[in-house]
Amino acid sequence: MKGTLMARRLRAIALFLLALVAAPAASAHYVDLNQALHRANTLTVGIALTGQPFAYKRDGALRGFEIEVARAVAEAHGLALDLVRLPRSQLAAALAAGDIDTANTLALDAEPAGVKIVPYLVVGDHLMVLRGNPFRIREADDLSGRVTSVTSGSSAERFAHDLNREFEEAGRAPMHVHSFPDDRWTHFPVSMGHAQGYFTRTVSAVAVDADPDSRNRLVEGVFHPVREVGFAIKADNDKLHHAVEHAVAAMVATGKYRRLREEHGLPVDLSPYR
């Protein structure tokens, strides 16, 4: 499935670049999308806050990686951008009603029914270690025989147990995995130096890694992808879906996507376009 998704994205990028070569300059970027939009000449994006650096509010303005990607898509088609902040519980309903053109699915636990997704991130579970990495944990194999912690019932817990099965199948010592009832307690064994790592979801991992006062940091490369997130668009709105897909493809092809990801401190593991 992952290979199919990547092949589809690469085809989209190739087709977009061919279109740039074959089409007149005036029509390469701008397509009349008004019939596909909630409001003429405007891309209306429903945003639920997902936290820094993804989508957050500072000094009265919405900021973050998700905001900048939406802005780039609007600019690619010569559209104004209208950011509509909504509670998470109202995103799917607003999209279904046509009150917004698209919504950020990172804010949702699952993909809404009746939508297509143009992804801009992959999210999942990450390994966190003590800042400075005194136990020299650089890859998954370094966790063999070590002590780790997880949140009970989470996908991160399943990630840890999957790694242990791999260790046991390879004849290596499994991790000693300790489960905690709530995410807020899971980091304590690592923060106190009693464990060598803990597993947690993307939003929490990135926030902790970016906090200069945090005792922990993210280990890139030890990552369990769970789902793709991005722009949710109504499934019957093919014109807007293709327009957004081509705009994101152009961002990837020109390096703008990578620059935005790096500017916001997002690890390469989160890119669907590697």
Side-chain angles (χ1 to χ4, degrees), residues 146-178:
R146 302 298 190 115
V147 178
T148 58
S149 56
V150 297
T151 303
S152 180
S154 67
S155 58
E157 183 179 43
R158 292 191 291 275
F159 180 29
H161 290 308
D162 286 345
L163 285 176
N164 266 351
R165 277 191 290 273
E166 292 178 14
F167 290 149
E168 290 169 345
E169 289 171 0
R172 306 188 65 194
M175 297 178 289
H176 303 280
V177 180
H178 298 276

Side-chain angles (χ1 to χ4, degrees), residues 8-9 32 68 127 142 150 180 182 199 206 216 243 246 255 258 262 269:
R8 188 163 67 240
R9 292 187 195 112
D32 184 5
E68 294 307 314
L127 171 66
D142 295 333
V150 297
F180 289 80
D182 193 277
F199 298 91
V206 171
N216 303 305
H246 286 178
R258 176 184 53 79
E262 292 176 349
D269 292 330

Side-chain angles (χ1 to χ4, degrees), residues 27-222:
S27 61
H29 291 284
Y30 300 103
V31 178
D32 184 5
L33 292 171
N34 282 334
Q35 290 183 346
L37 297 172
H38 169 66
R39 192 163 79 248
N41 303 314
T42 302
L43 182 66
T44 306
V45 181
I47 293 286
L49 299 186
T50 47
Q52 196 169 344
F54 301 100
Y56 60 99
K57 193 170 185 179
R58 178 183 293 169
D59 300 327
L62 289 172
R63 305 175 186 273
F65 173 81
E66 294 191 277
I67 307 305
E68 294 307 314
V69 173
R71 195 181 314 282
V73 168
E75 289 175 353
H77 292 287
L79 300 172
L81 177 64
D82 183 17
L83 298 170
V84 180
R85 183 180 168 188
L86 293 168
R88 296 178 183 223
S89 60
Q90 295 180 18
L91 273 183
L95 183 60
D99 296 331
I100 55 177
D101 298 316
T102 182
N104 64 325
T105 62
L106 178 57
L108 304 175
D109 292 330
E111 183 177 310
V115 305
K116 293 180 180 178
I117 304 296
V118 178
Y120 48 68
L121 289 174
V122 178
V123 295
D125 303 300
H126 303 259
L127 171 66
M128 309 296 291
V129 299
L130 200 62
R131 193 169 292 276
N133 200 7
F135 298 104
R136 300 183 180 181
I137 307 296
R138 298 185 176 89
E139 57 185 29
D141 284 350
D142 295 333
L143 293 168
S144 174
R146 302 298 190 115
V147 178
T148 58
S149 56
V150 297
T151 303
S152 180
S154 67
S155 58
E157 183 179 43
R158 292 191 291 275
F159 180 29
H161 290 308
D162 286 345
L163 285 176
N164 266 351
R165 277 191 290 273
E166 292 178 14
F167 290 149
E168 290 169 345
E169 289 171 0
R172 306 188 65 194
M175 297 178 289
H176 303 280
V177 180
H178 298 276
S179 297
F180 289 80
D182 193 277
D183 189 59
R184 59 183 167 167
W185 309 118
T186 304
H187 74 93
F188 277 125
V190 174
S191 298
M192 300 300 293
H194 302 312
Q196 286 74 56
Y198 74 95
F199 298 91
T200 192
R201 61 194 179 95
T202 292
V203 171
S204 176
V206 171
V208 168
D209 193 59
D211 182 358
D213 297 322
S214 170
R215 292 178 59 84
N216 303 305
R217 72 168 182 84
L218 180 152
V219 178
E220 289 197 36
V222 186

